[in-house]
Amino acid sequence: MSETGIVNGTLCLLGCFSLLTWSVILLKAGEAVWNAFRNHRFIKQFGNNSNPIDLQPGSQATRVYQAGLNTLKRLPQNQLLPVGQYQAWHELLERTMRQQLQKEKAKMESGLGWLASFGSTSPFVGLFGTVWGIMHALKDIGTKGSASLDVVAGPIGEALIATGLGIAVAIPAVLAYNFFLRQNRATLASLEHFASDFLHDTMQHHLLQHTENENVHAHI
């Protein structure tokens, strides 16, 4: 450790960055695994024409489904509507589910800004410690009038430690940030596909219902 408090503070700051980085990584990894498990089970049950809401409460796909279902509950029941009104309800349903998808995207991206910040600033913090360590070494050389190993080994060693620690913090932060971005895009694509299937099934159901009602009125 340096005799001055600046290098010490730099190393402590990088240590805090490392602790926070791995905390965010572990939390986001657990969240991603848990969401993937619950979404998979929900979508699988939905594809089997079961009632998935009772099986996987709280999953991302459930919230998207529930948002659409709440809109459908406002649709007038037991009466034949013009095709134009059905189209308006379908547009409202699509917009509601898309808004929920945006909310899920925002939740998945929460915390990634910390990883981006740590990944971009840690090398510069380490570089600052390196520069200060070298300045300390040059000062000792000037004071003692000697460039022997005993004089420069301590400050140069601290400078190298600061550089290495800055890189050690930045690499996992950047890798994790890119990984979670790809994972979030894949999850969002899966949820969008599910929402499209739900919207398509709803439109098909209303179209069949409208056709059957028209046939009944035609026979009457």
Side-chain angles (χ1 to χ4, degrees):
M1 300 297 293
S2 174
E3 295 178 359
T4 66
I6 294 182
V7 176
N8 292 343
T10 300
L11 295 177
C12 290
L13 181 60
L14 290 174
C16 293
F17 280 4
S18 179
L19 179 61
L20 292 173
T21 295
W22 283 105
S23 298
V24 173
I25 290 174
L26 293 177
L27 288 174
K28 298 301 292 185
E31 177 184 310
V33 171
W34 188 236
N35 284 333
F37 172 74
R38 290 186 295 180
N39 289 337
H40 175 74
R41 290 193 60 183
F42 181 94
I43 295 174
K44 182 178 179 181
Q45 293 294 333
F46 181 84
N48 292 334
N49 296 321
S50 300
N51 185 8
I53 294 179
D54 296 333
L55 298 175
Q56 291 299 317
S59 70
Q60 294 171 309
T62 302
R63 290 191 290 268
V64 174
Y65 178 84
Q66 190 65 51
L69 193 63
N70 291 338
T71 301
L72 289 180
K73 289 180 179 179
R74 296 158 52 192
L75 179 67
Q77 303 295 327
N78 301 324
Q79 57 176 306
L80 181 63
L81 299 178
V83 176
Q85 291 190 21
Y86 277 118
Q87 183 178 0
W89 278 101
H90 295 158
E91 291 176 356
L92 177 61
L93 174 62
E94 181 180 6
R95 185 163 57 250
T96 300
M97 298 179 73
R98 189 165 298 279
Q99 289 176 349
Q100 185 63 38
L101 287 172
Q102 292 300 317
K103 292 179 182 178
E104 299 301 330
K105 179 181 178 182
K107 290 180 181 179
M108 289 188 293
E109 291 180 351
S110 63
L112 296 186
W114 289 103
L115 293 179
S117 298
F118 295 151
S120 60
T121 59
S122 294
F124 295 103
V125 174
L127 181 61
F128 173 78
T130 300
V131 172
W132 195 266
I134 293 175
M135 289 174 58
H136 184 207
L138 295 177
K139 179 180 178 181
D140 288 346
I141 292 174
T143 301
K144 298 181 180 180
S146 172
S148 63
L149 184 61
D150 294 338
V151 175
V152 300
I156 295 299
E158 294 163 359
L160 296 177
I161 291 175
T163 302
L165 187 56
I167 295 174
V169 174
I171 289 177
V174 172
L175 291 178
Y177 175 79
N178 292 329
F179 171 79
F180 288 128
L181 280 184
R182 293 192 300 269
Q183 185 68 27
N184 290 346
R185 282 196 293 265
T187 301
L188 190 62
S190 176
L191 293 175
E192 289 178 346
H193 182 71
F194 165 75
S196 298
D197 288 343
F198 177 73
L199 180 62
H200 179 269
D201 292 344
T202 302
M203 295 174 63
Q204 186 177 29
H205 172 73
H206 288 159
L207 179 61
L208 292 175
Q209 185 181 24
H210 191 274
T211 304
E212 291 175 357
N213 289 335
E214 284 187 340
N215 292 335
V216 170
H217 287 295
H219 286 300
I220 295 176

